[in-house]
Structures are given as C-alpha cells and as structure tokens.
Amino acid sequence: DTAVSQTPKYLVTQMGNDKSIKCEQNLGHDTMYWYKQDSKKFLKIMFSYNNKELIINETVPNRFSPKSPDKAHLNLHINSLELGDSAVYFCASSQDKGAYTFGSGTRLTVV
Amino acid sequence: GEDVEQSLFLSVREGDSSVINCTYTDSSSTYLYWYKQEPGAGLQLLTYIFSNMDMKQDQRLTVLLNKKDKHLSLRIADTQTGDSAIYFCAESYGGATNKLIFGTGTLLAVQP
C-alpha cells in the first residue's frame, strides 16, 4: 500500500489549460504539503494544510489553488498554465513536527 | 534568510566514504534531516538529528551537527553504487508550522 500517492505521475498539457493534481495519504497524518521542484532540483514549499486548514501559503501565483476535502487528501488546481509552471510537484505529509513522507511526484510539462 | 547551502556534486569510488556537507540558517531548528532522491522518484527520509545532539549513527550513516557553525554533515561509509542519488539536507524552520527548508541538493556519483 502506497503511503502518499499522487496522480497523475506525468501530465503534459498546453499553455492556458487548467489542470489538477491529486494527493492522498493513508498514514493518518494531520498535515499535508505541496512542494515544487524545478529543473535545477531546488525544492520550494507552496502550501500546507493541517486538518483541512490552510497554514502555509507561500508566495505562489493565485492561479494555484489547493483544496483539502479531508485530512487525507490535498489536491492542487492550476489555472491558465504557463511554460514556467513546468516542474515536478511533490505532495508530502507529516504528523505534528515529524519528518515528511513524500509522494513519488507529478512531472508537469507545459507546451 | 532561508538559504540552506550544499555543494552541488561529489564523486567517490565504490568502497570509499562519502561526506556531504550542509550549512543551514535557522538556529532555532528543532530537527535537521537528510533525504535521498533517486532518479524519477520522490524523496526518501534517510535519517535525522535532534538539535541538542552532536552526532547520530545509523548503520553506514553518521550525522554530525555543529550548532555553533550551523553545519551539518552526512557520512556514508563503504559507499555503494546504489548510493548514487541526490542528497538533500533540510531544516525545520522555526515557528508553529512544520515547514521544512531544503538544501540545494548534492549529487553523489559512485564510480565502480
């Protein structure tokens, strides 16, 4: 059983489209995160939810909107995709101040 | 600032020891972590150290922490080709949230 699962694994789409990435964790963790990894492998936090409440909202274009229907799910919706949005997006979860468990990533390519 | 710095690349021969270094910024970090990322995969937790410790050993892995200099290192003994990956250090940024700030990553290449 995968602890943190993301779908899809690969996403290729045209500029201007709207897309969603889904994340689910079965670890019973209270907190979930979205990180973006760029082509130089830099990892930067985007959002975090604790028990469905938004607790971290970094400087991210408002075209990106996270949604957490329950504490086991955190989805990321992106409107009007741009070339610069191409990256690998990682979902992660943690319990309290504990270590993160990461998903395997979603590679988004905007053409 | 939130910069966590690592050297970009390290090349070692199989069987040698590898030492990956990291300089972090937040002296109030409670935990510091080492993660491993293999090609096309997510980040896998390798080990972590609590900020009141100087050293932690876990099988082939040894973590050293110098709080005064805000320096963290990961030593891998008897490095194997399967250890080839990108290694990230991370600090838990101070405050109420569990925000991790990741380093720039070190690509470890193990030559047979």
Side-chain angles (χ1 to χ4, degrees), chain A residues 90-111:
Chain A
F90 285 103
C91 177
S93 71
S94 73
Q95 184 61 33
D96 298 326
K97 296 286 183 93
Y100 290 10
T101 301
F102 279 87
S104 56
T106 296
R107 181 174 293 277
L108 171 65
T109 305
V110 183
V111 297

Side-chain angles (χ1 to χ4, degrees), chain A residues 35 37 58 94 96-98 100, chain B residues 35 37 42 95-96 98-100:
Chain A
Y35 274 75
Q37 186 174 45
E58 294 289 298
S94 73
D96 298 326
K97 296 286 183 93
Y100 290 10
Chain B
Y35 282 84
Q37 185 179 28
N98 190 26
K99 174 175 159 181
L100 290 192

Side-chain angles (χ1 to χ4, degrees), chain A residues 20 34 47 49 60-67 75-79:
Chain A
S20 291
W34 279 110
F47 302 103
Y49 272 74
V60 174
N62 57 15
R63 298 181 295 104
F64 289 79
S65 52
K67 281 191 174 50
N75 304 323
L76 184 65
H77 188 75
I78 316 169
N79 288 328

Side-chain angles (χ1 to χ4, degrees), chain A residues 41-102:
Chain A
K41 304 298 184 184
F42 294 154
L43 276 156
K44 192 149 174 61
I45 191 165
M46 300 172 71
F47 302 103
S48 176
Y49 272 74
N50 178 272
N51 221 350
K52 303 194 293 175
E53 181 187 345
L54 181 66
I55 57 169
I56 297 175
N57 186 356
E58 294 289 298
T59 308
V60 174
N62 57 15
R63 298 181 295 104
F64 289 79
S65 52
K67 281 191 174 50
S68 181
D70 56 60
K71 75 173 195 175
H73 296 84
L74 180 61
N75 304 323
L76 184 65
H77 188 75
I78 316 169
N79 288 328
S80 304
L81 277 154
E82 299 177 358
L83 291 176
D85 298 332
S86 295
V88 181
Y89 291 84
F90 285 103
C91 177
S93 71
S94 73
Q95 184 61 33
D96 298 326
K97 296 286 183 93
Y100 290 10
T101 301
F102 279 87

Side-chain angles (χ1 to χ4, degrees), chain B residues 1-4 23-27 29 70 91 93-94 99 101:
Chain B
E2 296 184 1
D3 291 338
V4 180
T23 304
Y24 62 97
T25 56
D26 187 1
S27 57
S29 293
K70 296 181 192 168
E91 62 169 344
Y93 199 63
K99 174 175 159 181
I101 305 298

Side-chain angles (χ1 to χ4, degrees), chain A residues 5-12 19-23 34 89 104-108:
Chain A
S5 58
Q6 297 179 227
T7 53
K9 191 169 172 62
Y10 300 98
L11 185 53
V12 181
K19 289 293 178 187
S20 291
I21 306 171
K22 297 189 177 202
C23 180
W34 279 110
Y89 291 84
S104 56
T106 296
R107 181 174 293 277
L108 171 65

Side-chain angles (χ1 to χ4, degrees), chain B:
Chain B
E2 296 184 1
D3 291 338
V4 180
E5 299 288 338
Q6 298 178 236
S7 49
L8 281 181
F9 183 72
L10 176 65
S11 179
V12 300
R13 288 190 184 276
E14 196 171 16
D16 288 350
S17 292
S18 309
V19 180
I20 302 170
N21 294 303
C22 171
T23 304
Y24 62 97
T25 56
D26 187 1
S27 57
S28 66
S29 293
T30 309
Y31 289 97
L32 294 126
Y33 301 89
W34 284 102
Y35 282 84
K36 175 184 180 183
Q37 185 179 28
E38 295 180 356
L43 279 77
Q44 171 196 353
L45 177 68
L46 280 180
T47 187
Y48 63 92
I49 188 166
F50 191 52
S51 58
N52 68 354
M53 297 169 67
D54 297 323
M55 186 182 91
K56 180 179 179 181
Q57 186 148 3
D58 186 358
Q59 300 182 336
R60 292 191 297 123
L61 305 178
T62 303
V63 179
L64 295 178
L65 175 60
N66 180 330
K67 279 196 78 172
K68 176 174 161 290
D69 295 337
K70 296 181 192 168
H71 185 263
L72 182 73
S73 68
L74 174 70
R75 179 177 179 270
I76 306 173
D78 186 26
T79 313
Q80 303 297 306
T81 53
D83 295 325
S84 294
I86 301 176
Y87 290 79
F88 291 92
C89 63
E91 62 169 344
S92 55
Y93 199 63
T97 67
N98 190 26
K99 174 175 159 181
L100 290 192
I101 305 298
F102 284 84
T104 45
T106 300
L107 175 61
L108 174 65
V110 182
Q111 312 299 327

